[in-house]
Amino acid sequence: MSRLLSRQHLAAVRRSAPFACVSRWLHTPSFATVSPQEVSGSSPAEVQNFVQGSWTASANWNWIVDPLNGDKFIKVAEVQGTEIKSFMESLSKCPKHGLHNPLKAPERYLMYGDISAKAAHMLGQPTVLDFFAKLIQRVSPKSYQQALAEVQVSQKFLENFCGDQVRFLARSFAVPGNHLGQRSNGYRWPYGPVAIITPFNFPLEIPLLQLMGALYMGNKPVLKVDSKVSIVMEQMIRLLHDCGLPAEDMDFINSDGAVMNKLLLEANPKMTLFTGSSRVAEKLAADLKGRVKLEDAGFDWKILGPDVQEVDYVAWVCDQDAYACSGQKCSAQSVLFMHKNWSSSGLLEKMKKLSERRKLEDLTIGPVLTVTTEAMIEHMNNLLKIRGSKVLFGGEPLANHSIPKIYGAMKPTAVFVPLEEILKSGNFELVTKEIFGPFQVVTEYSEDQLELVLEACERMNAHLTAAIVSNDPLFLQDVLGRSVNGTTYAGIRARTTGAPQNHWFGPAGDPRGAGIGTPEAIKLVWSCHREIIYDVGPVPESWALPSAT
Ligand SMILES: NC(=O)c1ccc[n+]([C@@H]2O[C@H](COP(=O)([O-])OP(=O)(O)OC[C@H]3O[C@@H](n4cnc5c(N)ncnc54)[C@H](O)[C@@H]3O)[C@@H](O)[C@H]2O)c1
């Protein structure tokens, strides 16, 4: 019903709007109930929940403010603690053995191959790519190219799981047994009712890839995306429904963290995938007694090896890694360990110049959604109390903007801290604190200080991404062999960011660590191993009752 209303509203807007506005609506995809260009303080958008096959509102609207001007521009129907019953009932309808598994409703694997094919095709239409890129920009401001890349990765992911590729995810194996009629089969089994919680920084890619992985393997997920950006996934779910996603297969909830926490405790999903901060990750791991997979904070390091080459290229990758999306990638370069050989290469000057090209107008630098300007300045000032530290560039708030004060607005910033100081116990925690904004620490090491660099990497808690920038095979081998980060790039073109659909992305060194993107990630996160040992006989004619053992 509300879908109908929204589309009627849309038609009315189309009728009454001036020409430019009409033309924008004409380019709005058929499944959409919003137009990224039209959403504003005077024409706010609504985000609903989806439960037990219907779109629903709630008693409470949470207003989201436009990160660029502070206008209340989106209202989200946030479910309250007293309203979670329908979500609990919905999850409880899914048995532990899932909606499908290798021995139940296998045709659903094929159905999901078809849904993926249709969704990949629809998402690949230029107007749909553009629609999602622009919608992402409105709520999680980043350059058009960065937003478009997020949509393209999502589209390629869907292409990867067309046809028979979903059923291949559930490939089983058989091992011959000890006697005739016996064999063991290993299966990938779903968990059944599951939950997915995702953050604000990749409004489409993270929730979509995890949602599809959960569904492919036969689970029934309830999805919660950070309300600041959940409009993007709300529209994507409408696209998926248009592509044949059965309405009862998943639910979509908007709520604050506390209500979601309550739902998890009361509905008892068999597995929860959490992507977000380590603080919440640890709370959920304890609350849910370990029934979690985690993609949490990243304090991502890059080591420049002794072989200096391709300085312009390396400087550009450093700039992209540290400051694209205003540093709000969990894979963003947080600390740069630079071999002294690079000092005279002009690398830092080049990085400074590149950082100065970034501007608010094209969102190559922009609002920081979870760290205020004051908090970033305070962190920087604390770092500057460390002996020998200094601001390399940036270090100031952005000027001439209307970004509301609840968000941060900071120039791309690099602070130098001497390596020996980083390692001091009083300083280490401070220096390795993740600042989810355009902020990095830079340090230098000499030939005989590689051990100190590796000690720093060993002492860090988050082991998400890393880059070893060198083409010296022995250097690479040494550093790779003595580090653990789950997604590590190695070679002169190494970067810390980049989570395309074609390689695993996720932390290592933690048994709770999840992954995203690849078949291995889907199987690890969204299925468990089940072994069925067939032993059908015949019992040999010569069999006689053995003595007791
Ligand atoms: N490892 C990865 O793949 C990855 C990817 C993106 C972001 N991140 C991390 O996410 C963080 C940035 O996101 P954030 O600050 O918005 O994270 P956050 O932990 O504050 O929020 C993440 C999500 O959890 C929800 N939430 C908060 N408290 C909850 C609770 N008690 N129970 C259930 N849900 C709850 C939020 O509403 C949101 O949807 C950074 O630390 C970043 O490194 C990690």
Side-chain angles (χ1 to χ4, degrees):
M1 179 62 177
S2 52
R3 174 84 200 276
L4 198 66
L5 280 177
S6 302
R7 298 220 60 89
Q8 281 168 354
H9 171 72
L10 199 156
V13 170
R14 281 175 175 162
R15 276 196 303 278
S16 65
F19 181 75
C21 177
V22 171
S23 129
R24 264 179 237 141
W25 276 110
L26 288 177
H27 289 98
T28 303
S30 57
F31 59 84
T33 56
V34 299
S35 160
Q37 291 98 324
E38 300 303 324
V39 179
S40 66
S42 55
S43 175
E46 284 181 9
V47 179
Q48 300 188 336
N49 303 289
F50 192 79
V51 64
Q52 305 200 49
S54 326
W55 289 103
T56 60
S58 92
N60 187 54
W61 293 103
N62 177 23
W63 280 98
I64 307 297
V65 298
D66 187 329
L68 290 176
N69 61 23
D71 284 354
K72 291 175 167 180
F73 78 144
I74 298 174
K75 51 178 190 165
V76 180
E78 282 204 347
V79 172
Q80 305 299 290
T82 49
E83 296 174 318
I84 59 175
K85 198 161 159 265
S86 54
F87 290 90
M88 291 172 59
E89 276 170 14
S90 185
L91 269 192
S92 73
K93 286 184 186 150
C94 179
K96 283 179 203 168
H97 59 257
L99 299 175
H100 60 266
N101 63 50
L103 303 182
K104 172 187 160 182
E107 64 281 359
R108 283 174 49 93
Y109 292 111
L110 306 190
M111 177 187 79
Y112 271 104
D114 288 347
I115 294 169
S116 297
K118 286 185 193 134
H121 176 73
M122 199 182 279
L123 193 52
Q125 302 302 306
T127 48
V128 182
L129 283 169
D130 183 65
F131 168 83
F132 277 107
K134 288 193 172 133
L135 193 57
I136 289 170
Q137 281 193 298
R138 293 302 309 273
V139 289
S140 182
K142 47 180 100 171
S143 69
Y144 186 77
Q145 259 171 317
Q146 289 287 327
L148 184 65
E150 183 178 343
V151 189
Q152 286 167 331
V153 165
S154 306
Q155 195 271 342
K156 279 274 163 236
F157 170 89
L158 291 168
E159 272 182 7
N160 282 350
F161 296 98
C162 294
D164 288 322
Q165 299 306 322
V166 175
R167 75 164 130 199
F168 288 152
L169 287 172
R171 187 190 296 270
S172 52
F173 66 80
V175 177
N178 291 346
H179 48 250
L180 187 61
Q182 190 190 57
R183 70 172 199 272
S184 52
N185 282 73
Y187 293 103
R188 295 315 302 175
W189 217 251
Y191 292 102
V194 297
I196 302 170
I197 301 170
T198 61
F200 73 89
N201 60 339
F202 285 90
L204 182 68
E205 182 182 344
I206 297 177
L208 179 68
L209 270 56
Q210 294 295 8
L211 172 71
M212 296 313 287
L215 291 165
Y216 292 158
M217 299 313 289
N219 304 287
K220 173 168 180 167
V222 56
L223 170 66
K224 179 224 179 308
V225 181
D226 191 312
S227 293
K228 289 194 277 297
V229 302
S230 61
I231 190 168
V232 177
M233 216 34 217
E234 196 236 39
Q235 296 295 300
M236 186 67 207
I237 291 167
R238 294 179 191 275
L239 180 152
L240 291 171
H241 286 153
D242 273 14
C243 294
L245 173 71
E248 281 74 26
D249 276 19
M250 65 154 296
D251 298 321
F252 175 63
I253 184 170
N254 294 289
S255 75
D256 64 14
V259 171
M260 188 61 194
N261 209 140
K262 181 176 155 78
L263 176 65
L264 295 174
L265 288 173
E266 295 184 16
N268 193 25
K270 299 299 158 212
M271 217 292 286
T272 294
L273 177 280
F274 174 79
T275 309
S277 64
S278 298
R279 182 186 61 81
V280 178
E282 291 302 335
K283 177 174 183 352
L284 290 181
D287 285 1
L288 303 176
K289 302 190 172 67
R291 289 190 317 276
V292 290
K293 290 274 184 205
L294 306 176
E295 294 253 24
D296 57 347
F299 190 83
D300 308 295
W301 49 259
K302 180 180 279 178
I303 300 175
L304 304 186
D307 47 326
V308 178
Q309 47 188 311
E310 306 288 2
V311 181
D312 285 315
Y313 183 83
V314 171
W316 172 72
V317 178
C318 283
D319 177 66
Q320 286 293 112
D321 280 347
Y323 306 125
C325 298
S326 303
Q328 296 167 99
K329 295 185 184 185
C330 48
S331 52
Q333 177 174 312
S334 302
V335 59
L336 178 68
F337 296 100
M338 188 177 71
H339 191 284
K340 280 219 157 103
N341 291 352
W342 291 80
S343 309
S344 55
S345 71
L347 178 85
L348 292 179
E349 293 75 26
K350 288 176 194 291
M351 281 167 54
K352 176 174 187 294
K353 277 217 168 86
L354 290 171
S355 76
E356 287 164 357
R357 295 191 308 176
R358 297 186 170 276
K359 46 187 192 294
L360 190 54
E361 295 82 73
D362 59 8
L363 295 175
T364 45
I365 190 74
V368 175
L369 268 55
T370 54
V371 197
T372 59
T373 312
E374 291 73 40
M376 283 185 275
I377 299 274
E378 188 189 338
H379 181 72
M380 181 182 73
N381 288 337
N382 286 336
L383 288 178
L384 292 176
K385 287 181 195 147
I386 298 174
R387 191 146 46 101
S389 63
K390 58 183 178 200
V391 176
L392 291 173
F393 52 84
E396 290 168 10
L398 290 179
N400 305 324
H401 64 79
S402 47
I403 296 169
K405 273 189 90 65
I406 51 161
Y407 296 146
M410 185 85 177
K411 288 186 180 169
T413 297
V415 174
F416 180 88
V417 184
L419 180 59
E420 307 79 12
E421 293 294 326
I422 290 179
L423 289 166
K424 288 186 180 161
S425 57
N427 296 338
F428 192 77
E429 276 223 335
L430 173 70
V431 177
T432 58
K433 181 175 173 208
E434 182 193 32
I435 298 296
F436 214 49
F439 197 96
Q440 67 172 321
V441 170
V442 176
T443 192
E444 220 178 39
Y445 69 99
S446 53
E447 198 68 30
D448 57 350
Q449 283 182 314
L450 181 63
E451 291 306 315
L452 299 184
V453 173
L454 291 172
E455 185 195 325
C457 298
E458 172 78 13
R459 277 169 58 186
M460 290 172 199
N461 289 321
H463 300 297
L464 189 55
T465 74
I468 307 159
V469 181
S470 169
N471 272 353
D472 174 343
L474 297 183
F475 182 80
L476 286 181
Q477 185 167 288
D478 190 19
V479 177
L480 287 169
R482 293 198 282 158
S483 54
V484 300
N485 294 39
T487 303
T488 303
Y489 285 90
I492 201 67
R493 299 185 67 171
R495 52 188 181 159
T496 61
T497 57
Q501 73 296 334
N502 59 304
H503 68 61
W504 166 285
F505 185 88
D510 184 337
R512 305 164 304 177
I516 189 167
T518 59
E520 290 74 21
I522 293 173
K523 284 183 270 189
L524 175 104
V525 174
W526 293 115
S527 63
C528 55
H529 183 92
R530 184 183 190 194
E531 192 102 348
I532 296 179
I533 300 93
Y534 290 97
D535 209 346
V536 297
V539 176
E541 275 177 18
S542 58
W543 185 83
L545 187 67
S547 45
T549 58

